[in-house]
């Protein structure tokens, strides 16, 4: 299956008909929206893009095409209808794998198409950066050794993160290195990555928990959104408790206050879950507090981290504590009083 994206043109129509006689299945589109819509249902082996869209520059056209996740890994060949060397370079600078000038000679076109399709099948299978957090946590838990390689929309490698036995040991991204590079790569949603398992990594100048860095990356994402003037998502609250009834009752109170709320048990709780939901407040059962806090914060939790409210059963006689083990906590309450005290607790942790 091939897609052709072109404004009406007799030579492109002729090429389409010739490709059909060479046993290619062809779908043609005169706008990016319909092309993207079809790609959701069926991803082409290759996309041919003509330079005859008056309302879009070639770079804008390529940018619109590559924003679509289904088309990001599809090889693109530019069809040059206008005798313009700048147009050729514009396409190459924006990620096409080849260009073909008019007049179109069908044998050459077929040869180039088959070559580029075969090349694309040999290339890495890239993963969208939105899944990096899951992958990084998996490498942490599995004590894996290897290299995350990051690529831009032009399939150019622009950075890497190295892990050894599940620990972060090195990273580069432009002029950035170490933790700074890790955070920038983890927060860049335009990138893609692959992971290569290795017996060892070439550079190991850091020894840091991936979990800690992912939590720091979550804070960085929020700060980026604030600086860019992007409205942050609604405030999220995470309740962790093995007692289903208690956590559901607490969730009802939180939702009545207008907050987004999720509940989970301590056995199901992972840093991956934490990173994906990215809560602004955690409400945690006293019995599992030390274990969960130590998983989320291998270093002691401080007042600068995500606020944590501990809630307890009545058999805990004294709840006037500020620490659970080595971890600072923001506030505490009895479960049977939580619905009455929630507003005051949320004000204390500055959520109201």
């Amino acid at each position: 299956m091939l897609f052709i994206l072109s404004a009406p043109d007799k030579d492109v129509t002729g090429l389409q008909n010739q490709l059909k006689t060479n046993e290619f299945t062809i779908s043609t589109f005169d706008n990016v929206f319909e092309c993207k819509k079809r790609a959701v249902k069926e991803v082409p082996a290759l996309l041919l893009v003509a330079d005859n869209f008056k309302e879009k520059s070639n770079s804008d056209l390529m940018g619109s095409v590559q924003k679509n996740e289904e088309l990001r890994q599809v090889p693109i060949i530019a069809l040059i209808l206008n005798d313009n060397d700048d147009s050729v370079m514009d396409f190459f600078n924006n990620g096409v794998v080849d260009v073909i000038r008019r007049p179109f000679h069908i044998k050459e076109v077929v040869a180039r198409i088959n070559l580029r399709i075969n090349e694309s099948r040999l290339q890495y299978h890239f993963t969208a950066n939105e899944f990096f957090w899951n992958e990084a946590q998996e490498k942490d838990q599995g004590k894996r050794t290897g290299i995350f390689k990051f690529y831009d929309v032009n399939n150019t490698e622009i950075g890497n993160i190295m892990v050894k036995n599940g620990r972060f040991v090195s990273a580069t991204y432009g002029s950035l290195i170490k933790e700074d590079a890790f955070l920038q790569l983890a927060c860049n949603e335009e990138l893609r990555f692959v992971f290569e398992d290795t017996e060892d990594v070439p550079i190991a100048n850091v020894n840091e928990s991936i979990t800690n860095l992912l939590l720091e990356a979550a804070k960085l994402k929020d700060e980026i959104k604030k600086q860019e003037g992007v409205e942050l998502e609604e405030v999220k609250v995470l309740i962790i408790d093995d007692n289903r009834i208690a956590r559901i009752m607490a969730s009802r109170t939180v939702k009545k206050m207008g907050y987004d709320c999720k509940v989970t048990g301590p056995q199901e709780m992972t840093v991956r879950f934490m990173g994906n939901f990215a809560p602004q407040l955690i409400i945690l059962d006293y019995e599992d507090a030390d274990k969960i806090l130590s998983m989320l914060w291998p270093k002691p939790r401080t007042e600068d981290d995500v606020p944590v409210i501990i809630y307890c059963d009545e058999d805990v006689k004294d709840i006037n504590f500020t620490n659970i083990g080595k971890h600072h906590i923001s506030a505490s309450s009895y479960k049977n009083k939580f619905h009455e005290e929630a507003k005051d607790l949320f004000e204390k942790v500055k959520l109201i």
Side-chain angles (χ1 to χ4, degrees), residues 233-338:
E233 298 174 355
E234 58 185 324
V235 175
K236 299 175 182 178
V237 178
L238 176 61
I239 300 175
I240 307 170
D241 192 347
D242 204 33
N243 186 321
R244 289 188 179 89
I245 293 176
R247 71 194 191 197
I248 289 172
M249 293 303 295
S251 173
R252 285 169 57 87
T253 299
V254 171
K255 288 178 178 178
K256 282 183 180 180
M257 296 174 68
Y259 299 104
D260 184 14
C261 184
K262 279 192 177 182
V263 299
T264 189
Q267 303 304 319
E268 294 76 36
M269 180 59 194
T270 64
V271 175
R272 181 184 303 179
F273 186 98
M274 173 81 166
N276 287 339
F277 185 53
Q280 282 81 44
L281 172 66
I282 298 173
I283 298 171
L284 180 55
D285 176 40
Y286 176 83
E287 292 298 324
D288 296 292
D290 193 24
K291 175 184 173 183
I292 295 296
L293 290 170
S294 293
M295 178 180 69
L296 296 179
W297 287 280
K299 295 180 180 178
R301 185 200 163 274
T302 69
E303 292 182 353
D304 296 327
D305 293 312
V306 176
V308 174
I309 294 175
I310 302 296
Y311 74 157
C312 316
D313 293 317
E314 290 181 309
D315 56 356
V316 179
K317 301 304 180 183
D318 183 8
I319 62 170
N320 295 314
F321 48 79
T322 58
N323 283 72
I324 296 286
K326 62 184 179 180
H327 304 283
H328 178 80
I329 59 106
S330 309
S332 57
S333 173
Y334 284 117
K335 293 182 181 181
N336 60 2
K337 298 287 185 180
F338 181 77

Side-chain angles (χ1 to χ4, degrees), residues 51-223:
D51 65 344
N52 61 349
F53 287 89
K54 294 181 180 179
E55 71 277 12
K56 279 184 178 289
S57 68
N58 296 329
S59 58
D60 288 340
L61 178 64
M62 289 293 295
S64 297
V65 169
Q66 292 170 331
K67 282 181 181 178
N68 180 261
E69 184 61 36
E70 283 75 14
L71 293 173
R72 280 187 179 178
Q73 297 184 41
V74 174
I76 301 174
I77 294 178
L79 300 177
I80 306 301
L81 305 176
N82 303 305
D83 189 16
N84 187 336
D85 289 337
D86 290 339
S87 182
V88 172
M89 293 310 300
D90 204 15
F91 273 116
F92 273 128
N93 289 333
N94 284 278
V96 302
V97 297
D98 205 347
V99 297
I100 305 175
R101 292 177 183 268
R102 180 165 55 183
F104 304 122
H105 303 290
I106 189 60
K107 289 185 178 180
E108 177 189 353
V109 173
V110 169
R112 287 176 180 265
I113 287 173
N114 287 332
L115 174 64
R116 300 313 177 190
I117 290 174
N118 289 334
E119 284 179 346
S120 72
R121 288 171 178 167
L122 294 174
Q123 289 180 349
Y124 290 117
H125 176 69
F126 295 115
T127 303
N129 220 32
E130 63 183 287
F131 299 107
F132 169 70
W133 294 45
N134 292 351
E135 292 282 338
Q137 185 60 26
E138 178 186 296
K139 305 310 181 261
D140 186 338
Q141 294 174 348
K143 308 299 182 186
R144 300 271 289 278
T145 296
I147 304 174
F148 285 100
K149 296 183 178 181
F150 292 82
Y151 297 80
D152 62 15
V153 294
N154 298 324
N155 297 339
T156 301
E157 184 179 345
I158 49 81
N160 62 67
I161 290 173
M162 302 182 191
V163 297
K164 186 172 183 177
N165 299 324
R167 302 277 294 180
F168 164 67
V169 295
S170 182
T172 61
Y173 181 32
S175 61
L176 299 175
I177 60 172
K178 300 182 181 180
E179 290 91 340
D180 288 347
F182 180 104
L183 294 174
Q184 290 281 15
L185 290 167
C187 294
N188 191 331
E189 297 177 356
E190 299 299 318
L191 302 180
R192 296 170 288 168
F193 70 89
V194 294
F195 182 79
E196 292 183 1
D197 284 291
T198 60
E199 292 185 3
D200 201 358
V201 291
I203 301 173
N205 49 22
V206 185
N207 184 14
E208 181 66 71
S209 163
I210 291 177
T211 297
N212 281 352
L213 288 168
L214 290 177
L215 292 172
E216 192 171 343
K219 298 177 189 177
L220 176 59
K221 275 191 172 183
D222 281 349
E223 290 302 318

